[in-house]
Amino acid sequence: AEYLASLPKHPLKRIAHRLHPKRLAAFWFSKQGAIMMLKIVGVSILITILLGGALVAYYRKDLDAIRPGEIDKRVQTTVTKYYDRNDKLLWEDKGDGDYKLVVKDEQISTYMKQATVAIEDKDFYKHGGVSVTGVVRAALSNTQGNSTQGGSTLTQQLVKQVFFADEESQQRGLAGIPRKIKEMILSIEVEKMYEKDQILNLYLNESPYGGRRNGVESAAQTYFGKTAKDLTLAESALLASVPNQPGLYDPYNIEGHDALVARQQKVLDSMVDMKYITHAQADEAKKVPILDSVKPLADQLDNIRAPHFVLMVRSQLEKNLGKATVGNGGLIVKTTLDLDIQNKLEQSMTDMFNSSWPSYAGFTNGAGVVEDVKTGQIVAMLGSRDFKYQGFGQDTAATAFIQPGSSIKPLVFAQLFQNQGEGKQNFGSGSILADTATTFEGGYKPQDADGKFKGNISIRTSLDLSRNIPAIKAMAIAGKDETWKTIRELGNKVTARAIAVRAG
């Protein structure tokens, strides 16, 4: 009663009286306060455990997606490779979007692995998927208004790249918390299912290295013209710098060159701190003018072999499999082409255009197809005089709907030889036809490329010299309708399509 009488009459003053620091301190250091503190801590731990269990249970439906073999399916080569019949590479089609070439762990330079760990996740071989210190450091940095900093481990980055690449740019701040929690849970599970070296290999095969290039093999081939296994220390340090900000550190981004070199040197210093390399090795690598060795950005068709043929095959695949399937890449395409025969065909075309014959005969382009007549398979194909020839080089004359040219002459004579019967003149390879100036029906006055006439010559000689007028006379004698009928019966259903083209 005396205590109650001593309390202030006003309610607010009474509350303030009870919350006085001295009274609160006395309560918490009393037996009752200690019991209350234990209750609060116990309930908090229980709520945390229940909440964590609920989150794990909720996201367990996604665990199947990260089991061994499943991530491998997502981290796959997206480049389609075209080979000739003898397994010689014709082209690596990188598509129009981002692409990657996936390689095994032993096909990546040790320097590249060490450089990546040193700059991205120094505790990679110590943590279990999530770095508590990294999360705390990032949270403090971000709450202090510094530039946005991530606390993600290499494992988290791998999970993010494989599962949340589209979501990451759309969910920032508080909206991204559920995704971040899911990312951490999956990262812990990934660490349980995969060895550290497997995780690092998957990361190196998936990470962005500037522009359209994903995966260290794609980057090594593009920037340095070599495989990831052969990367030097300086080259590895440069590539390890890129994934942090692929847009800024893209070696083809001239404005970011100073920042890229600075980060490369930071990577080398970090490798020294991790005792991966010595100070002397780092200093030697820093002296290398690394950006001078970066190859110029080339068109994806630069290294294509038999381009007209390969692009025709790709077009056929798009019709049969769909553009989406071909666009996703990762296909291995073995064709009927024989690269050795293709090279001979291309050399013959080059030799012809280096001669005086095109100027003499009055033509500027040529095409050719070599076919295995037993199977109908194309073993060599050239659509123009040179794929890079300005104006029409990339057009494919070999498949164009044009006149069949001299290839039809043997078929015309074949019909003439069959033109036998009562009252008809019999013809053979030794029969004579006049190669003279002639005006045919409709006022048509043909001539040959040389503008000359050979006079009376045998059909054998006429065919050997590919003379035009004797062949036209042969069709007139045998009959046009009968000749077309024979040609179709021999297998040429569309007589207007070029079977082969002989210049002139």
Side-chain angles (χ1 to χ4, degrees), residues 348-401:
S348 296
M349 185 70 72
T350 300
D351 291 344
M352 181 177 70
F353 278 97
N354 286 337
S355 71
S356 59
W357 174 243
S359 177
Y360 169 75
F363 63 90
T364 57
N365 196 17
V369 176
V370 180
E371 178 185 322
D372 182 344
V373 295
K374 294 182 179 179
T375 63
Q377 296 177 352
I378 295 176
V379 295
M381 173 178 156
L382 194 57
S384 68
R385 59 184 291 180
D386 186 344
F387 188 73
K388 296 180 180 180
Y389 193 83
Q390 188 174 2
F392 53 77
Q394 296 186 16
D395 295 334
T396 307
T399 59
F401 285 88

Side-chain angles (χ1 to χ4, degrees), residues 411 484-495 499:
L411 307 180
W484 293 132
K485 183 172 182 271
T486 295
I487 290 173
R488 292 189 177 95
E489 289 175 348
L490 288 172
N492 186 14
K493 303 301 181 183
V494 185
T495 56
I499 303 171

Side-chain angles (χ1 to χ4, degrees), residues 298-364:
D299 185 271
Q300 66 163 334
L301 293 177
D302 272 359
N303 296 320
I304 191 171
R305 313 289 294 274
H308 295 102
F309 174 81
V310 173
L311 294 178
M312 181 181 72
V313 171
R314 183 175 70 169
S315 178
Q316 182 179 335
L317 284 175
E318 289 177 343
K319 292 178 181 177
N320 294 344
L321 304 179
K323 287 191 174 183
T325 299
V326 177
N328 289 335
L331 304 176
I332 300 296
V333 183
K334 188 168 183 177
T335 70
T336 62
L337 194 90
D338 187 315
L339 189 56
D340 292 335
I341 299 176
Q342 176 72 23
N343 290 336
K344 291 180 180 179
L345 176 62
E346 292 179 2
Q347 187 60 51
S348 296
M349 185 70 72
T350 300
D351 291 344
M352 181 177 70
F353 278 97
N354 286 337
S355 71
S356 59
W357 174 243
S359 177
Y360 169 75
F363 63 90
T364 57

